[in-house]
Amino acid sequence: WLILIAAALAIGGSVAMSRSVGRRIDTVTQTARRVMAGSLTERIPLRGTGDDFDELAATLNEMLERIEEALEAVRRVSDNVAHELRTPLARLHADLDDLRNAQDEGERQRLADQASAEAARLQAIFDALLRIARIESGRHLPGFKPVDLSILVADAVEFHLPEAEARGQLIESRIDPDLTLDADPNLLFQAVSNLLDNAIKYSGKGSTVTVVAGKTRGGVAIEIADSGPGIPSAYRDKVVERFFRLPQSVGEAGTGLGLSLVSAIVARHNGELRIAGSKSGARIALIFGSPARGI
């Protein structure tokens, strides 16, 4: 009788466990099917027991959230691309139509120059998009080598100094010597140059741009700050998206791809991009890992 009772309990327990596991698997399967059908907001319900199934469900929910965010970002990029390209294409089409009917030579030259400028803007947009895509997908051929960041940042400051002086702005720099990093010097120069260009362009006439480069516990950091209007906290996560522009900067020349390119370059170097600021100005930092040796 003991053997029969034990066998019955074992069989009953196995059936109950099998049904419980089956129900949890069915829940995951049904959620996956709803997601495949297009309902990206679906999530696997948690029981709160903290068991392996709950841990698996939490991981899958986090994965679904990342997928939803990525697809939403793709949608925003598609909308922004269409919006950004529509205006220069419309201007280019109008200029070409007017050029066809223009009789005065001076007018024809003016329209030709406008059409050429719009075509150059379109080319710049496509070049920036392709460059970002290559960097993010790893198709960019990196020239990683030991780089002296002290010299690189100083060169970037010197390159933008005439533009700042023309706007009545002051660039103050505090750059520690012997800052080294295994990196692609061309990409890093592009990142620092983009940040300086944004600081000069958007901080206004007579403002001060501060460039600080120094060592951290595990590597090096480059910080560029300005005394302009700053970046509101509501927009700090969005400014790295393609074509996103702050409301106060819509009238300024640009493509809205500068910080997107900087973000891709920093990610390619396994670094961190930190954006802060307030009404007293914007502050953006590039933080990289262990410094290189041998310089």
Side-chain angles (χ1 to χ4, degrees), residues 1-13:
W1 283 109
L2 289 176
I3 293 174
L4 292 176
I5 293 172
L9 290 175
I11 293 172

Side-chain angles (χ1 to χ4, degrees), residues 47-256:
R47 290 189 174 181
T49 58
D51 58 9
D52 291 341
F53 277 102
D54 262 12
E55 185 176 350
L56 175 61
T59 303
L60 292 176
N61 287 341
E62 184 178 355
M63 180 187 69
L64 291 173
E65 289 178 4
R66 298 282 182 87
I67 293 173
E68 183 181 7
E69 291 173 0
L71 290 177
E72 183 62 29
V74 169
R75 293 193 189 100
R76 287 197 299 268
V77 169
S78 300
D79 292 342
N80 291 335
V81 168
H83 176 74
E84 289 293 328
L85 295 183
R86 180 177 57 185
T87 300
L89 284 174
R91 289 175 181 170
L92 181 60
H93 186 270
D95 288 339
L96 291 176
D97 280 345
D98 293 340
L99 180 62
R100 181 186 304 163
N101 301 320
Q103 301 297 328
D104 182 68
E105 182 62 28
E107 180 68 8
R108 291 174 64 88
Q109 184 62 43
R110 183 185 69 82
L111 291 171
D113 291 341
Q114 285 186 184
S116 178
E118 292 298 338
R121 172 178 166 79
L122 287 171
Q123 183 177 3
I125 290 175
F126 281 113
D127 287 345
L129 286 172
L130 288 173
R131 188 173 178 83
I132 293 171
R134 289 194 189 100
I135 294 172
E136 288 181 340
S137 64
R139 286 181 290 141
H140 171 79
L141 298 177
F144 277 70
K145 60 183 180 180
V147 176
D148 191 327
L149 289 183
S150 302
I151 297 176
L152 185 145
V153 175
D155 288 344
V157 171
E158 184 178 357
F159 179 77
H160 287 277
L161 195 57
E163 181 184 359
E165 292 176 348
R167 292 172 173 258
Q169 297 170 332
L170 177 65
I171 297 183
E172 298 179 347
S173 59
R174 298 191 299 274
I175 304 172
D176 292 346
D178 301 325
L179 299 177
T180 59
L181 183 73
D182 283 324
D184 184 321
N186 296 323
L187 290 182
L188 280 189
F189 186 89
Q190 178 75 65
V192 176
S193 181
N194 281 8
L195 294 180
L196 281 171
D197 183 68
N198 284 347
I200 293 170
K201 186 185 300 181
Y202 300 122
S203 61
K205 294 183 178 180
S207 61
T208 299
V209 177
T210 305
V211 181
V212 179
K215 296 181 180 179
T216 63
R217 285 184 177 179
V220 295
I222 304 169
E223 182 180 279
I224 297 177
D226 61 65
S227 57
I231 302 175
S233 58
Y235 298 126
R236 289 175 194 166
D237 292 334
K238 297 182 179 180
V239 291
V240 296
E241 295 181 2
R242 293 170 178 82
F243 297 112
F244 181 85
R245 306 188 72 182
L246 293 173
Q248 65 265 26
S249 64
V250 172
E252 294 284 346
T255 61

